[in-house]
Amino acid sequence: MDTRFRSATLILAIHGSTEDTRPEEAGNSLAASIRSKGIFGEVKAAFHKHTPLLLDSLTQANGKLVIIVPMLMSKGYFTEKVFPDAFQLQATPGVAFPWVSIFEDKKVIYAGPIGLHPGMESLVIESADRVLKEHPFPVKVSLSNASIALIGHGTSRHVKSRESVDKLAAKLAMNSEKCQEVRTFFIEEEPAIEAIYEWNTPSKNVVVVPFMLADGPHAAQDIPVALGQTEKELKRSLKQGTSTWRNPTERHEKRIWISPPVGLSPLLPDLILEYISSEISGLLMA
């Protein structure tokens, strides 16, 4: 990578949660993994919902060059409005990512959401394949004999929110040798997660892959409940610190696995670095 990054600050901009510490833990772990590679002068995880806050991380950055990578899965309200406002950066409507801004005496490069990176395909496949291999009981199932239900958040507030998930699913579906079929389902849009049971899949094996950064409330609670986990079972698992879904669980003539969110894939740190190297290096002369 460009040696000029050695004096730069990298900020991983994360939504975070006031209800669950796992998104913060995932963000800090990701920052530590990238920091250990010694490519940047400074690597920070910063959050919209809690400290360290986005603006504070930018104000306190040591580097005169600051690269911000939104750890979001799609374009939309948070990428284009909430995060730039929180950083006090002047976003230009319609300008493609990444774009350059000036904050005090710092040159700031604001990247596109990491969920748009083409390499996300490999993270989805890796996450689905890993959960099948880790949970082979009662029968060992290969990914080529399973379908993938890709779960996005979705929101009616911004039409672009589901775009990246739908496009990613379409690309994965073209790679037919990896799995049998791929479809998208959403927490706040249609088709809802419950519709997985109505999906006429080629086989009964379905791997649910949360297209999310961390194992927070959406991945650990909303998805299992939508798939039939009772609130009592969920609360017991959360209290005991155990998984909120037994892999696999058979319901409605389907065998369901829920994988870790794509943001927990061990491939993510290198994907972030590849994105910065390929998409941002050219802006250093701007």
Side-chain angles (χ1 to χ4, degrees):
M1 292 186 66
D2 198 302
T3 55
R4 284 171 289 185
F5 290 136
R6 291 177 185 168
S7 60
T9 296
L10 172 63
I11 298 175
L12 304 178
I14 302 166
H15 186 277
S17 172
T18 56
E19 303 173 6
D20 196 314
T21 60
R22 282 173 290 191
E24 180 180 7
E25 291 165 1
N28 288 334
S29 176
L30 182 60
S33 177
I34 296 175
R35 190 181 303 119
S36 69
K37 298 177 185 293
I39 295 171
F40 300 92
E42 188 176 36
V43 181
K44 298 183 173 189
F47 303 88
H48 171 63
K49 281 285 190 178
H50 54 79
T51 58
L53 294 171
L54 300 179
L55 181 58
D56 291 342
S57 68
L58 178 56
T59 301
Q60 297 165 13
N62 292 322
K64 298 300 182 184
L65 170 65
V66 180
I67 299 164
I68 299 172
V69 179
M71 300 307 297
L72 299 169
M73 296 298 121
S74 66
K75 288 182 181 178
Y77 185 64
F78 277 89
T79 305
E80 298 181 349
K81 174 66 176 172
V82 176
F83 278 19
D85 284 355
F87 280 114
Q88 295 185 5
L89 299 176
Q90 186 62 47
T92 305
V95 174
F97 297 114
W99 43 262
V100 179
S101 185
I102 300 297
F103 179 85
E104 297 178 348
D105 60 343
K106 300 176 176 72
K107 178 179 180 179
V108 180
I109 299 178
Y110 185 87
I114 194 62
L116 298 185
H117 193 288
M120 278 292 165
E121 294 178 48
S122 61
L123 268 65
V124 172
I125 294 297
E126 189 277 331
S127 297
D129 187 56
R130 176 158 41 105
V131 76
L132 288 174
K133 289 177 177 176
E134 290 178 352
H135 299 277
F137 183 83
V139 59
K140 187 175 181 179
V141 174
S142 66
L143 187 55
S144 61
N145 193 33
S147 297
I148 293 177
L150 191 60
I151 309 298
H153 187 280
T155 177
S156 58
R157 290 186 300 179
H158 204 297
V159 294
K160 294 179 183 177
S161 176
R162 64 179 292 158
E163 237 177 48
S164 61
V165 192
D166 285 334
K167 287 181 179 179
L168 177 56
K171 289 180 180 178
L172 286 165
M174 294 173 64
N175 206 350
S176 57
E177 74 274 10
K178 295 291 186 182
C179 63
Q180 291 186 337
E181 197 172 1
V182 184
R183 291 209 183 164
T184 53
F185 301 87
F186 297 90
I187 290 174
E188 291 190 5
E189 288 191 62
E190 297 295 332
I193 296 167
E194 294 88 335
I196 289 173
Y197 289 126
E198 301 169 8
W199 180 15
N200 186 23
T201 52
S203 76
K204 66 186 295 183
N205 304 310
V206 176
V207 184
V208 174
V209 180
F211 193 57
M212 300 164 189
L213 175 64
D215 197 17
H218 289 316
Q221 300 177 44
D222 296 343
I223 293 175
V225 168
L227 290 172
Q229 190 79 305
T230 67
E231 291 287 350
K232 182 179 179 180
E233 292 169 329
L234 184 73
K235 288 179 181 177
R236 182 172 64 247
S237 297
L238 291 172
K239 185 177 180 179
Q240 295 174 347
T242 58
S243 175
T244 54
W245 184 261
R246 180 177 58 82
N247 283 318
T249 292
E250 292 200 32
R251 284 199 174 103
H252 303 285
E253 300 182 353
K254 282 187 170 59
R255 190 182 290 125
I256 306 287
W257 287 260
I258 300 180
S259 84
V262 294
L264 298 184
S265 170
L267 304 179
L268 183 57
D270 285 339
L271 185 144
I272 293 171
L273 294 176
E274 192 280 329
Y275 172 69
I276 293 172
S277 179
S278 62
E279 300 293 329
I280 293 178
S281 290
L283 294 177
L284 297 182
M285 300 302 294

Short mmCIF file of all heavy atoms in Angstrom, two decimals, residues 59-93:
data_model
loop_
_atom_site.label_atom_id
_atom_site.label_comp_id
_atom_site.label_asym_id
_atom_site.label_seq_id
_atom_site.Cartn_x
_atom_site.Cartn_y
_atom_site.Cartn_z
N THR A 59 -11.68 15.15 15.34
CA THR A 59 -11.04 16.30 15.98
C THR A 59 -9.70 15.91 16.61
O THR A 59 -8.72 16.66 16.54
CB THR A 59 -11.96 16.89 17.07
OG1 THR A 59 -13.20 17.28 16.47
CG2 THR A 59 -11.32 18.09 17.73
N GLN A 60 -9.65 14.72 17.19
CA GLN A 60 -8.47 14.27 17.92
C GLN A 60 -7.50 13.45 17.06
O GLN A 60 -6.47 12.98 17.57
CB GLN A 60 -8.90 13.44 19.13
CG GLN A 60 -9.72 14.24 20.13
CD GLN A 60 -10.46 13.36 21.14
OE1 GLN A 60 -10.18 12.17 21.25
NE2 GLN A 60 -11.40 13.95 21.86
N ALA A 61 -7.80 13.31 15.77
CA ALA A 61 -6.92 12.53 14.89
C ALA A 61 -5.55 13.19 14.79
O ALA A 61 -5.43 14.41 14.63
CB ALA A 61 -7.54 12.41 13.51
N ASN A 62 -4.51 12.39 14.87
CA ASN A 62 -3.15 12.92 14.80
C ASN A 62 -2.70 13.19 13.37
O ASN A 62 -1.87 14.06 13.12
CB ASN A 62 -2.18 11.93 15.45
CG ASN A 62 -2.39 11.82 16.95
OD1 ASN A 62 -2.67 12.82 17.61
ND2 ASN A 62 -2.27 10.62 17.49
N GLY A 63 -3.24 12.43 12.42
CA GLY A 63 -2.82 12.57 11.04
C GLY A 63 -3.41 13.79 10.35
O GLY A 63 -4.55 14.18 10.62
N LYS A 64 -2.63 14.39 9.45
CA LYS A 64 -3.15 15.47 8.62
C LYS A 64 -3.99 14.92 7.46
O LYS A 64 -4.73 15.65 6.81
CB LYS A 64 -2.00 16.32 8.06
CG LYS A 64 -1.17 17.01 9.13
CD LYS A 64 -2.03 17.94 9.98
CE LYS A 64 -1.17 18.66 11.02
NZ LYS A 64 -1.99 19.51 11.91
N LEU A 65 -3.82 13.63 7.19
CA LEU A 65 -4.66 12.92 6.23
C LEU A 65 -5.52 11.95 7.03
O LEU A 65 -5.00 11.12 7.78
CB LEU A 65 -3.82 12.16 5.21
CG LEU A 65 -4.59 11.18 4.30
CD1 LEU A 65 -5.56 11.93 3.40
CD2 LEU A 65 -3.62 10.34 3.48
N VAL A 66 -6.83 12.06 6.89
CA VAL A 66 -7.76 11.19 7.61
C VAL A 66 -8.65 10.47 6.60
O VAL A 66 -9.25 11.11 5.72
CB VAL A 66 -8.64 11.98 8.60
CG1 VAL A 66 -9.61 11.04 9.32
CG2 VAL A 66 -7.79 12.74 9.60
N ILE A 67 -8.69 9.16 6.70
CA ILE A 67 -9.53 8.35 5.83
C ILE A 67 -10.67 7.78 6.68
O ILE A 67 -10.43 7.13 7.70
CB ILE A 67 -8.74 7.19 5.20
CG1 ILE A 67 -7.60 7.77 4.34
CG2 ILE A 67 -9.64 6.29 4.35
CD1 ILE A 67 -6.54 6.75 3.99
N ILE A 68 -11.89 8.07 6.26
CA ILE A 68 -13.08 7.59 6.98
C ILE A 68 -13.75 6.51 6.14
O ILE A 68 -14.12 6.76 4.98
CB ILE A 68 -14.07 8.73 7.27
CG1 ILE A 68 -13.42 9.79 8.15
CG2 ILE A 68 -15.34 8.19 7.91
CD1 ILE A 68 -14.26 11.05 8.32
N VAL A 69 -13.91 5.33 6.71
CA VAL A 69 -14.62 4.25 6.03
C VAL A 69 -15.90 3.95 6.81
O VAL A 69 -15.84 3.43 7.93
CB VAL A 69 -13.77 2.97 5.92
CG1 VAL A 69 -14.57 1.86 5.24
CG2 VAL A 69 -12.48 3.24 5.16
N PRO A 70 -17.07 4.29 6.27
CA PRO A 70 -18.33 3.96 6.96
C PRO A 70 -18.55 2.45 6.97
O PRO A 70 -18.61 1.82 5.92
CB PRO A 70 -19.39 4.66 6.10
CG PRO A 70 -18.65 5.68 5.30
CD PRO A 70 -17.30 5.07 5.06
N MET A 71 -18.64 1.89 8.16
CA MET A 71 -18.87 0.46 8.28
C MET A 71 -20.38 0.20 8.21
O MET A 71 -21.01 -0.28 9.14
CB MET A 71 -18.27 -0.06 9.59
CG MET A 71 -16.77 0.16 9.69
SD MET A 71 -15.85 -0.49 8.26
CE MET A 71 -16.23 -2.23 8.43
N LEU A 72 -20.92 0.56 7.07
CA LEU A 72 -22.34 0.40 6.78
C LEU A 72 -22.48 -0.49 5.56
O LEU A 72 -21.58 -0.57 4.72
CB LEU A 72 -22.99 1.76 6.53
CG LEU A 72 -22.93 2.75 7.72
CD1 LEU A 72 -23.35 4.14 7.26
CD2 LEU A 72 -23.80 2.26 8.88
N MET A 73 -23.61 -1.14 5.43
CA MET A 73 -23.79 -2.13 4.39
C MET A 73 -24.42 -1.57 3.12
O MET A 73 -24.53 -2.29 2.12
CB MET A 73 -24.63 -3.30 4.91
CG MET A 73 -23.95 -4.07 6.04
SD MET A 73 -22.39 -4.83 5.51
CE MET A 73 -21.23 -4.08 6.62
N SER A 74 -24.86 -0.32 3.13
CA SER A 74 -25.51 0.22 1.93
C SER A 74 -25.41 1.73 1.90
O SER A 74 -25.12 2.39 2.90
CB SER A 74 -26.99 -0.19 1.91
OG SER A 74 -27.68 0.43 2.98
N LYS A 75 -25.64 2.29 0.72
CA LYS A 75 -25.86 3.72 0.62
C LYS A 75 -27.19 4.01 1.29
O LYS A 75 -28.04 3.15 1.42
CB LYS A 75 -25.94 4.16 -0.85
CG LYS A 75 -24.63 4.14 -1.60
CD LYS A 75 -24.86 4.65 -3.01
CE LYS A 75 -23.59 4.63 -3.83
NZ LYS A 75 -23.83 5.07 -5.22
N GLY A 76 -27.37 5.22 1.68
CA GLY A 76 -28.64 5.54 2.31
C GLY A 76 -28.51 6.70 3.27
O GLY A 76 -27.54 7.47 3.24
N TYR A 77 -29.49 6.81 4.13
CA TYR A 77 -29.62 7.95 5.02
C TYR A 77 -28.41 8.16 5.91
O TYR A 77 -27.90 9.27 6.05
CB TYR A 77 -30.89 7.76 5.85
CG TYR A 77 -31.24 8.91 6.76
CD1 TYR A 77 -31.57 10.16 6.24
CD2 TYR A 77 -31.26 8.75 8.14
CE1 TYR A 77 -31.90 11.22 7.07
CE2 TYR A 77 -31.60 9.79 8.98
CZ TYR A 77 -31.91 11.03 8.44
OH TYR A 77 -32.24 12.07 9.26
N PHE A 78 -27.90 7.08 6.52
CA PHE A 78 -26.76 7.22 7.43
C PHE A 78 -25.47 7.52 6.68
O PHE A 78 -24.67 8.34 7.11
CB PHE A 78 -26.62 5.96 8.29
CG PHE A 78 -27.52 5.97 9.49
CD1 PHE A 78 -28.81 5.47 9.40
CD2 PHE A 78 -27.10 6.51 10.69
CE1 PHE A 78 -29.65 5.50 10.50
CE2 PHE A 78 -27.93 6.54 11.79
CZ PHE A 78 -29.22 6.04 11.70
N THR A 79 -25.26 6.85 5.55
CA THR A 79 -24.04 7.07 4.78
C THR A 79 -23.98 8.47 4.19
O THR A 79 -22.93 9.13 4.23
CB THR A 79 -23.94 6.06 3.63
OG1 THR A 79 -24.04 4.74 4.16
CG2 THR A 79 -22.62 6.20 2.88
N GLU A 80 -25.09 8.93 3.65
CA GLU A 80 -25.10 10.19 2.88
C GLU A 80 -25.48 11.41 3.70
O GLU A 80 -25.22 12.54 3.27
CB GLU A 80 -26.05 10.03 1.70
CG GLU A 80 -25.62 8.93 0.73
CD GLU A 80 -26.55 8.79 -0.46
OE1 GLU A 80 -27.64 9.40 -0.44
OE2 GLU A 80 -26.18 8.09 -1.42
N LYS A 81 -26.10 11.21 4.87
CA LYS A 81 -26.56 12.35 5.64
C LYS A 81 -26.07 12.33 7.10
O LYS A 81 -25.39 13.25 7.56
CB LYS A 81 -28.10 12.39 5.61
CG LYS A 81 -28.75 13.45 6.49
CD LYS A 81 -28.43 14.85 6.03
CE LYS A 81 -29.18 15.87 6.90
NZ LYS A 81 -28.75 17.28 6.59
N VAL A 82 -26.41 11.26 7.82
CA VAL A 82 -26.16 11.24 9.27
C VAL A 82 -24.67 11.27 9.60
O VAL A 82 -24.22 12.09 10.41
CB VAL A 82 -26.83 10.01 9.91
CG1 VAL A 82 -26.48 9.92 11.40
CG2 VAL A 82 -28.34 10.09 9.74
N PHE A 83 -23.89 10.37 8.98
CA PHE A 83 -22.46 10.32 9.29
C PHE A 83 -21.73 11.60 8.86
O PHE A 83 -20.96 12.16 9.65
CB PHE A 83 -21.81 9.08 8.68
CG PHE A 83 -21.99 7.82 9.50
CD1 PHE A 83 -22.97 7.73 10.47
CD2 PHE A 83 -21.17 6.73 9.29
CE1 PHE A 83 -23.15 6.58 11.22
CE2 PHE A 83 -21.32 5.56 10.05
CZ PHE A 83 -22.31 5.49 11.01
N PRO A 84 -21.90 12.09 7.61
CA PRO A 84 -21.23 13.35 7.25
C PRO A 84 -21.60 14.50 8.18
O PRO A 84 -20.73 15.31 8.56
CB PRO A 84 -21.71 13.60 5.82
CG PRO A 84 -22.00 12.24 5.28
CD PRO A 84 -22.58 11.49 6.45
N ASP A 85 -22.88 14.59 8.57
CA ASP A 85 -23.30 15.65 9.50
C ASP A 85 -22.61 15.48 10.85
O ASP A 85 -22.18 16.46 11.47
CB ASP A 85 -24.81 15.63 9.69
CG ASP A 85 -25.56 16.21 8.51
OD1 ASP A 85 -24.90 16.71 7.57
OD2 ASP A 85 -26.81 16.14 8.51
N ALA A 86 -22.51 14.25 11.32
CA ALA A 86 -21.87 14.00 12.61
C ALA A 86 -20.40 14.38 12.59
O ALA A 86 -19.86 14.87 13.59
CB ALA A 86 -22.04 12.53 13.01
N PHE A 87 -19.74 14.17 11.45
CA PHE A 87 -18.33 14.55 11.29
C PHE A 87 -18.17 16.04 10.97
O PHE A 87 -17.05 16.52 10.84
CB PHE A 87 -17.68 13.74 10.18
CG PHE A 87 -17.26 12.34 10.57
CD1 PHE A 87 -17.87 11.23 10.01
CD2 PHE A 87 -16.23 12.14 11.48
CE1 PHE A 87 -17.47 9.94 10.35
CE2 PHE A 87 -15.83 10.87 11.83
CZ PHE A 87 -16.45 9.77 11.27
N GLN A 88 -19.28 16.74 10.76
CA GLN A 88 -19.29 18.14 10.34
C GLN A 88 -18.57 18.32 9.00
O GLN A 88 -17.82 19.27 8.78
CB GLN A 88 -18.67 19.06 11.41
CG GLN A 88 -19.50 19.09 12.70
CD GLN A 88 -18.98 20.08 13.73
OE1 GLN A 88 -18.04 20.84 13.48
NE2 GLN A 88 -19.58 20.10 14.90
N LEU A 89 -18.82 17.37 8.09
CA LEU A 89 -18.28 17.45 6.75
C LEU A 89 -19.36 17.89 5.79
O LEU A 89 -20.53 17.53 5.95
CB LEU A 89 -17.75 16.07 6.31
CG LEU A 89 -16.62 15.47 7.16
CD1 LEU A 89 -16.28 14.08 6.65
CD2 LEU A 89 -15.38 16.37 7.12
N GLN A 90 -18.98 18.66 4.80
CA GLN A 90 -19.94 19.15 3.83
C GLN A 90 -20.07 18.14 2.69
O GLN A 90 -19.21 18.04 1.83
CB GLN A 90 -19.49 20.51 3.26
CG GLN A 90 -20.51 21.16 2.33
CD GLN A 90 -21.83 21.48 3.04
OE1 GLN A 90 -21.84 22.02 4.13
NE2 GLN A 90 -22.93 21.12 2.40
N ALA A 91 -21.14 17.37 2.72
CA ALA A 91 -21.38 16.39 1.66
C ALA A 91 -21.94 17.08 0.44
O ALA A 91 -22.71 18.04 0.55
CB ALA A 91 -22.35 15.32 2.14
N THR A 92 -21.54 16.62 -0.74
CA THR A 92 -22.04 17.17 -2.00
C THR A 92 -23.00 16.15 -2.62
O THR A 92 -22.58 15.07 -3.02
CB THR A 92 -20.89 17.44 -2.98
OG1 THR A 92 -19.94 18.31 -2.34
CG2 THR A 92 -21.41 18.11 -4.24
N PRO A 93 -24.30 16.48 -2.69
CA PRO A 93 -25.27 15.53 -3.22
C PRO A 93 -24.92 15.08 -4.63
O PRO A 93 -24.55 15.89 -5.49
CB PRO A 93 -26.59 16.32 -3.20
CG PRO A 93 -26.38 17.37 -2.16
CD PRO A 93 -24.93 17.73 -2.25
#
